[in-house]
Amino acid sequence: MAARSSISPDSFLPLTAVSFEILLALVEGGRHGYDIMLEIERRTGGRVSLNPGTLYRALDRLVEQGLLDAAFQRVGAERRRLFSLSPLGSEVAAAEAERLADQVRAARALRLLKRGA
């Protein structure tokens, strides 16, 4: 993979909804897969519910792209993979949030959304 400084966060945009949800779930710190799944469900009020296969394929892809870091952690007798945002992943999440905010501003300008929405 190229050096971080040569990769533009915009080159990853737009993110899939699943990828963005995962990045959002990791903004406040590292989590293991099941905890990511629960956080997404909690934050979205159950509107987004990922099955384990979808989640772990997306996590592996995000690690491969350099957006997430993964490390094994021992919890009692179990080994769990702990995922966290890489510096590039943080930049990509912020760029996607800004891109989506621009879309919401456009929708408001077209009166598709109320001002408070």
Side-chain angles (χ1 to χ4, degrees):
M1 179 172 267
R4 180 182 161 267
S5 61
S6 67
I7 300 173
S8 168
D10 291 339
S11 69
F12 292 91
L13 305 184
L15 290 175
T16 65
V18 168
S19 293
F20 190 52
E21 290 294 345
I22 290 169
L23 297 182
L24 288 177
L26 294 170
V27 166
E28 294 181 335
R31 298 174 184 269
H32 58 81
Y34 184 69
D35 196 27
I36 293 169
M37 204 166 25
L38 292 177
E39 174 59 17
I40 291 170
E41 286 183 20
R42 183 201 63 76
R43 197 179 44 70
T44 65
R47 289 185 313 275
V48 178
S49 179
L50 301 176
N51 70 50
T54 300
L55 174 69
Y56 283 100
R57 278 191 302 276
L59 288 168
D60 289 341
R61 186 180 66 252
L62 292 167
V63 168
E64 185 178 303
Q65 292 174 324
L67 303 183
L68 297 183
D69 294 322
F72 283 98
Q73 177 184 56
R74 217 169 257 295
V75 178
E78 294 182 27
R79 269 181 41 157
R80 292 184 178 174
R81 257 193 326 173
L82 185 69
F83 297 92
S84 58
L85 284 177
S86 68
L88 177 60
S90 292
E91 292 176 13
V92 170
E96 179 69 351
E98 193 57 46
R99 185 188 73 79
L100 292 170
D102 288 344
Q103 287 184 324
V104 170
R105 282 191 285 277
R108 282 190 180 129
L110 294 168
R111 300 181 190 271
L112 290 175
L113 293 175
K114 295 178 182 177
R115 285 282 169 204

